[in-house]
Amino acid sequence: MIRSVTMARAVAAALLLLAGAVRADAGATFRAQFGDAFLDRYWALQPDAAIAVGYYRYAARIAVPDAAYRARRLAFLERSIAALRRLPEAGMDAAMRTDGAVLLSQLEQERWSLAEFREWQWNPSLYNVADAFALLLNTPYAPEAERLRTVSQRLTQVPAYYAAARAAIARPVREQVQLAMQQSQGTLDVFGEALERQLAGSALRADERARFLQRLRAARVAVEGYIAFLEALDQRLARDGGGRDFRIGRAAYERLFGYAIQTGVTPDALHARALQEKERLHERMAELADHLWPKYFPDQAPPPERVARIGQLIARLSDNHATPAGFYDEVQALIPRLEDCVRTHQLVDLDPSRPLAVRVTPPYQRGVAMASVNAPGPYDATAKTYFNVTPLDAFTPAQADSFLREYNHWLLQILVIHEAVPGHYVQLVYANKTPSRIKSVFGNGPMIEGWAVYSERMMLESGWDPSPEMELMYSKWLLRVVCNTLLDYGVHVRGMQEDEALRLLRDEAFQSETEARGKWRRAQLSYVQLASYFAGFSAIYDFRESLKQQLGERFDLKKFNDRFLSYGSAPVAVITPLIGAADVSR
């Protein structure tokens, strides 16, 4: 009997050693095939994307988007996907399995987009060199003279880039043509007088400056030629038609949704949940409106219709808003207050060595959102994170008033929570610190947007402005998130028309005219992205609540937030199996 037990233990020990060896072999194989060397090859094919994550080895290159380039990239994707599928998943630990899953999904989406979706053919706004140039000029990853020499080399490739772009475009979406025209004008600003002044004051030799100016002029001519091409294209599409509908249709939507969302929900199920949530929010908002009505309309009977009652009260509250001149300053002033609240309530760790810089949105990034965050990648994590705020100077007085009423005293706070603290800015700082390069650089939209929406709810739950006015306005904001899903699905799957979309946004989501029309424009220019907010938020919140239910008073919110963010920007469905109740318990 003793001998049998001893033998069993020996066999078990041998099996454990063998399993360890298998895991070690699998881990070594994964690191060898999909470690830094693989990512280097990936960035070599996509140097602009590399610059965006702080990888500057190929910064002097521009990927000229011609047929030969697409063939090289497709071949790389095919080889990489095949190699990933051959890996012995059973021998990998959880971290590597999830890295593999994130990478496989990323590469498969890129292959599908390149070979089947073919957005490169019908979306002219994809072709824009401005962002990478602006990052190289404004990010002090190297001495200025070195960066200007890199920019000079890139400038030589700009004419070929735009020539290839013109050759690639066929049956474009007219709305994307118009966006490309607007943003390409912003590219000329990047290549404008400010760059010439920077060059004149630099340490470059006189001959280098002369070559730079020559190349800069040729690049401007190339961008101007692309704009002229787009203007002619827009006129022809207006006159003769022949362009592609901006709606991508059910089949493409479901395929893209599967790649992009990754929360374990289907488009139909998410749409159905959004409809239910819209009704729940309307019920709660009606209760709040009844409570607040005597305070704001003491001598007026409320209208009998629920949405009319809610809408009238929201309109009155929206009178409390910033001025056009003071909007930027109010955004800036909110950030330290939010940081103090996060620290006081111990919601999540903040890193004082990574400050957030508020700036006016660069012209080449305008035309889609009024506020956004540009964060550095993990390769250059010490670079600045920018909170972009688009100025209102392009608005008419009526448009500016409509915008400011939408982002009134209460909703401006929610906006800054979402974009900055503890929303996108905080999450992306965490993402840059994750040990997994793959989970950091290949960010999942629903996780990123879902965290920002979740952070809004968390801040209010933690005591940020507990007034009924804030709850009503926050409910309106969450209704916007819900209606983003209804709009996105409705437009691209069900063929929703503009009048129906505007009724949804104005009459049921209580959005201002400017905001509603801006969102309609966004729905024409994007696909699935608008659904990512509600999908990600729902998945994160449901997961947190399930852990709270298990643990009760032992649940530690800060531990949950820190642990959840520690996995970079991986999909929610990838993160949730990695966190157990013991990880977030006091």
Side-chain angles (χ1 to χ4, degrees), residues 93-250:
D93 62 21
M96 285 189 182
R97 283 199 306 275
T98 51
D99 270 5
V102 169
L103 185 58
L104 181 61
S105 177
Q106 173 71 27
L107 299 180
E108 287 183 335
Q109 179 177 345
E110 289 185 27
R111 180 181 64 178
W112 172 77
S113 183
L114 194 61
E116 297 181 47
F117 196 46
R118 299 171 71 87
E119 190 177 4
W120 53 268
Q121 195 171 51
W122 48 263
N123 183 357
S125 70
L126 292 179
Y127 301 108
N128 194 326
V129 298
D131 199 43
F133 275 99
L135 285 170
L136 292 175
L137 290 166
N138 297 314
T139 305
Y141 69 92
E144 183 188 53
E146 181 182 332
R147 290 184 284 120
L148 286 171
R149 291 186 183 104
T150 298
V151 167
S152 185
Q153 288 179 267
R154 285 179 63 86
L155 285 170
T156 64
Q157 302 157 73
V158 170
Y161 176 93
Y162 282 107
R166 291 197 301 271
I169 294 167
R171 289 195 66 237
V173 172
R174 189 181 178 207
E175 290 79 5
Q176 298 287 4
V177 172
Q178 293 169 341
L179 177 63
M181 290 161 54
Q182 176 186 349
Q183 294 188 333
S184 295
Q185 290 289 348
T187 305
L188 291 176
D189 288 343
V190 174
F191 292 160
E193 293 180 0
L195 177 52
E196 290 193 25
R197 288 194 298 270
Q198 184 177 355
L199 177 66
S202 73
L204 265 60
R205 301 187 310 270
D207 61 315
E208 290 179 305
R209 292 198 298 272
R211 278 196 301 275
F212 190 108
L213 284 173
Q214 185 180 20
R215 294 167 178 176
L216 181 61
R217 293 187 190 103
R220 285 178 188 151
V221 169
V223 177
E224 289 165 350
Y226 188 57
I227 294 171
F229 164 79
L230 293 170
E231 289 172 342
L233 190 56
D234 184 55
Q235 292 170 10
R236 190 174 78 239
L237 291 170
R239 184 182 63 248
D240 304 328
R244 174 185 168 127
D245 188 4
F246 63 82
R247 298 171 180 83
I248 65 173
R250 176 179 286 275

Side-chain angles (χ1 to χ4, degrees), residues 495-546:
M496 180 184 284
Q497 298 296 312
E498 181 177 7
D499 58 347
E500 183 184 357
L502 293 177
R503 279 198 304 272
L504 169 71
L505 299 172
R506 284 187 310 229
D507 302 342
E508 297 186 65
F510 311 106
Q511 294 181 16
S512 68
E513 184 72 20
T514 300
E515 181 68 21
R517 291 195 176 277
K519 192 59 63 69
W520 166 250
R521 172 174 166 80
R522 189 167 163 186
Q524 295 172 293
L525 299 171
S526 66
Y527 6 87
V528 175
Q529 195 274 336
L530 281 170
S532 65
Y533 300 84
F534 187 56
F537 162 70
S538 301
I540 296 169
Y541 196 79
D542 288 352
F543 178 53
R544 190 197 76 174
E545 292 302 290
S546 71

Side-chain angles (χ1 to χ4, degrees), residues 320-379:
N320 186 350
H321 61 73
T323 64
F327 179 71
Y328 183 91
D329 291 337
E330 288 208 21
V331 169
Q332 242 179 347
L334 275 168
I335 292 171
R337 290 179 53 208
L338 292 167
E339 290 174 336
D340 182 62
C341 180
V342 168
R343 292 190 186 98
T344 300
H345 293 280
Q346 297 186 350
L347 301 180
V348 68
D349 283 328
L350 298 178
D351 187 346
S353 70
R354 303 288 184 269
L356 178 65
V358 183
R359 70 174 180 183
V360 173
T361 306
Y364 65 88
Q365 290 187 343
R366 298 179 193 174
V368 179
M370 292 299 293
S372 62
V373 165
N374 283 136
Y379 294 102

Side-chain angles (χ1 to χ4, degrees), residues 370-561:
M370 292 299 293
S372 62
V373 165
N374 283 136
Y379 294 102
D380 190 22
T382 61
K384 285 185 178 179
T385 297
Y386 290 104
F387 181 11
N388 302 314
V389 181
T390 301
L392 306 181
D393 47 15
F395 285 3
T396 66
Q399 289 172 329
D401 181 68
S402 178
F403 173 82
L404 291 167
R405 291 178 63 79
E406 182 69 24
Y407 294 96
N408 53 60
H409 170 73
W410 293 276
L411 286 191
L412 184 59
Q413 297 170 55
I414 302 297
L415 174 68
V416 180
I417 290 170
H418 180 103
E419 295 292 345
V421 180
H424 287 319
Y425 156 63
V426 172
Q427 185 269 318
L428 293 169
V429 168
Y430 265 80
N432 283 343
K433 297 179 180 180
T434 183
S436 165
R437 189 80 81 189
I438 286 170
K439 290 189 182 76
S440 181
V441 297
F442 298 118
N444 174 257
M447 185 276 170
I448 296 169
E449 296 296 353
W451 170 265
V453 177
Y454 162 78
S455 72
E456 303 156 12
R457 171 73 67 88
M458 176 178 64
M459 288 291 280
L460 267 61
E461 289 174 340
S462 301
W464 180 270
D465 190 351
S467 69
E469 286 89 346
M470 174 56 92
E471 186 183 353
L472 179 66
M473 282 298 189
Y474 168 72
S475 297
K476 177 194 167 184
W477 180 278
L478 187 56
L479 193 59
R480 173 198 300 210
V481 171
V482 169
C483 288
N484 279 350
T485 293
L486 299 177
L487 176 68
D488 195 57
Y489 183 90
V491 165
H492 291 289
V493 176
R494 294 188 165 185
M496 180 184 284
Q497 298 296 312
E498 181 177 7
D499 58 347
E500 183 184 357
L502 293 177
R503 279 198 304 272
L504 169 71
L505 299 172
R506 284 187 310 229
D507 302 342
E508 297 186 65
F510 311 106
Q511 294 181 16
S512 68
E513 184 72 20
T514 300
E515 181 68 21
R517 291 195 176 277
K519 192 59 63 69
W520 166 250
R521 172 174 166 80
R522 189 167 163 186
Q524 295 172 293
L525 299 171
S526 66
Y527 6 87
V528 175
Q529 195 274 336
L530 281 170
S532 65
Y533 300 84
F534 187 56
F537 162 70
S538 301
I540 296 169
Y541 196 79
D542 288 352
F543 178 53
R544 190 197 76 174
E545 292 302 290
S546 71
L547 290 172
K548 284 179 67 175
Q549 189 172 10
Q550 289 180 55
L551 293 169
E553 293 183 357
R554 291 183 295 122
F555 177 80
D556 189 309
L557 178 60
K558 184 175 184 297
K559 281 187 178 180
F560 172 82
N561 292 333

